Amino acid sequence: MTLKIVGIILILLIVIIYIAMYIIRRNHYKSIDELDSKKSIVMDYFPADKIQSINDKSMAGQSRETAEELKKQWDQIETKQFPTIESLLFEAEQATDRYRFKKARYHEEQAESKISEIKNDLNNLNTALDELMQREEANLKKIESIKKRYHMIRKDLLAKSFSFGKAVDALEDKLGTMETDFSTFSHLTAAGDHEEANLLLKQLEKTIASMEKYMTDIPKILKKMDNEILEQIEELESGYRSLLEEGYRFPDDSIKEEIAQAYVKLESVNSFLGSLEVEKAEEMIKELEDKIEQVYDNLEVEIRAKTEVKELVIQIRKIFHYLKEQNRKLFIEIDRLSQSYLLYRDEMNEATQTQEIIAEQEKQYMKINEELAEENIPFSEASQLLNAIFDHLQEMNEKTNITSQHLSDYRKSEIEIKQDLEEMEIAMREMKRYVESRHLPGLPSEYLEFFFYTTDHIEQLSQSLAKPKLDMTEVFTLHELCEEDVEQLAHDTDELVDQAMLSELVSQRLYRYKSEHSEVIETIKYSRSLFSEDFDYQTSLQMVRDKLESIEPGAFEEVQKQYRKEKNFS
């Protein structure tokens, strides 16, 4: 049973394979037939009649060379490329017969590619042959069009010759060259050299196009030169002369030279147009326009500067008057204050220097005024110099204000320091009362020494302020020293009293433990000795504090906190 099934399967497989092979072969044969049909269609493109027509035509020169080249292309397609297709299709058919389908597919693809290639080549060849055969007719149509455009140009040139300036002769020469080219074209056409005639046509088309552009551009350029550029140059020249007559002066002769150069450049534009160098002419005009704009700007600078100079002359005159008056008052104030103070900021020297600088600037100002009156200086230069003077005077005004402020600071500082002195004396008395109010058995020698040291400094400051002529440098030094001493003494006084008060409070807290700790009485006794006999409140506090903390940790902090609270409240 199993063998029968296997046999049936094998038979089915053979049948399937046979059917598949049959279908594949059929498809390949079909593909080969389709390619053969495409080949036949391509044969319709063969230009045999056109080749024969070319052979019958009378051609010469470049046309004959082109015809020979096209016939070579035809021969290449007919004798080499086309037989290749036949061979590829035959190989594909042979491979299909032998069931070599991969090789058959390769030959079919090559054949299809070759058919497309030949088709394109034949299309190009047909087009080239048509153009060659129709070249004469096409050339004649183009030459007629060019001649019409040529006659229009000649007509315009004759009617409007004045619009082209020096370019007329060059344009006439161009037209003469075209007439020669027309004659050459006729000879080439008569000789049958239509290809060479076509090359000449292309040159004529370029020439006529450039001529048409010249006919449009040159009148525009000349019109712009006459109606705009020349008028602007003449206006600049007239304006420049008018300004000179009105008293204007310029930093150098560049404007005069630039106007002269502008006329030279105008001639250069005409020369460029005369040789039909239109682009160079346009570039030169752009340079001219930029230069004219620059000259206008230079003139405008002087015109604006004149207005500014007039304003500055008036302003600076007023400033000189103001500064001189301020400086006069400053010297009076310096003289007055120097009778009461030793001036430590060199105010007299600063005021003298300021006065000298003002005098120097006034000399320059007067010189500039003279130059302006004699019309020997450009307004722009005068403006720069006057602005520099204005800046110097502004600086001198600021210096004068600073010196004046320094002078007013002497009296102000004296009053402030005297107020501070009074407050420090009051603070010293309050510190003394504060210590006395605590009824301490005595005060440490170091504290007393610093107290009297501070008192001496305050007395020195008081004596320095009582002098008929104050040395403020000395006063400032003593004042700073006193402030530091009083501040330190206040801190030491507060600390001293705190140590004494806390020593008594801690001793009282420690006394509670006299029964449980026999050494407590001895510690308190020794601490009281330091307190009452040596006035060493710091050590006295340290002894009882250490003993209390050893017995009751944290107790000192409680005592100190309560003391601070009661102290702040009182």
Side-chain angles (χ1 to χ4, degrees), residues 319-320 322-328 330-331 334 345-362 389 391-404 406:
I319 293 171
F320 275 124
Y322 171 78
L323 286 179
K324 285 179 181 179
E325 180 62 19
Q326 290 298 106
N327 220 40
R328 186 187 67 79
L330 193 64
F331 277 114
I334 290 171
R345 282 174 170 155
D346 204 16
E347 287 86 352
M348 178 61 78
N349 186 44
E350 284 186 359
T352 303
Q353 285 182 357
T354 300
Q355 187 182 46
E356 290 172 356
I357 292 172
I358 291 171
E360 181 184 341
Q361 294 298 312
E362 189 170 25
I389 292 173
D391 292 340
H392 275 104
L393 295 181
Q394 194 171 34
E395 185 180 343
M396 291 307 101
N397 183 49
E398 290 173 1
K399 275 191 168 185
T400 301
N401 290 336
I402 291 170
T403 304
S404 180
H406 288 167

Side-chain angles (χ1 to χ4, degrees), residues 239-262:
Y240 174 66
R241 288 174 182 170
S242 296
L243 291 175
L244 288 176
E245 292 170 2
E246 291 174 22
Y248 284 86
R249 292 295 175 265
F250 297 88
D252 49 44
D253 291 333
S254 62
I255 292 179
K256 183 179 179 181
E257 180 64 25
E258 284 167 356
I259 291 173
Q261 284 295 321

Side-chain angles (χ1 to χ4, degrees), residues 309 313 317 362-377 382 386:
V309 164
V313 166
R317 186 185 298 118
E362 189 170 25
K363 284 181 183 178
Q364 291 186 28
Y365 169 78
M366 297 303 294
K367 183 180 178 182
I368 294 167
N369 268 338
E370 289 174 8
E371 294 280 347
L372 288 168
E374 294 172 5
E375 299 180 351
N376 289 332
I377 186 172
L386 289 171

Side-chain angles (χ1 to χ4, degrees), residues 23-83:
I23 292 171
I24 293 171
R25 283 183 72 190
R26 189 182 67 180
N27 288 339
H28 275 283
Y29 287 135
K30 183 179 179 183
S31 178
I32 292 166
D33 290 340
E34 289 175 352
L35 289 171
D36 191 57
S37 296
K38 286 183 180 179
K39 180 198 69 173
S40 298
I41 292 170
V42 168
M43 288 178 68
D44 293 339
Y45 288 85
F46 279 21
D49 295 340
K50 294 177 183 178
I51 295 294
Q52 186 59 46
S53 296
I54 287 174
N55 287 332
D56 295 340
K57 271 185 173 288
S58 174
M59 292 186 181
Q62 185 64 39
S63 293
R64 175 49 58 189
E65 290 178 12
T66 302
E68 291 300 326
E69 180 62 31
L70 293 176
K71 283 193 284 186
K72 285 180 184 178
Q73 291 179 22
W74 158 247
D75 186 61
Q76 175 74 15
I77 294 169
E78 184 180 35
T79 61
K80 292 183 179 180
Q81 290 180 265
F82 206 75

Side-chain angles (χ1 to χ4, degrees), residues 24 57 70 110 143 151 164 194 202 210-211 229 258 276 292 298 365 379 401 410 424 443 454 487:
I24 293 171
K57 271 185 173 288
L70 293 176
Q110 289 293 307
I143 198 69
H151 287 302
F164 299 92
H194 305 301
K202 290 179 180 176
S210 64
M211 287 289 289
I229 306 296
E258 284 167 356
L276 301 182
I292 288 169
N298 292 339
Y365 169 78
F379 288 112
N401 290 336
Y410 281 97
M424 287 187 284
L443 296 171
T454 302
E487 185 179 353

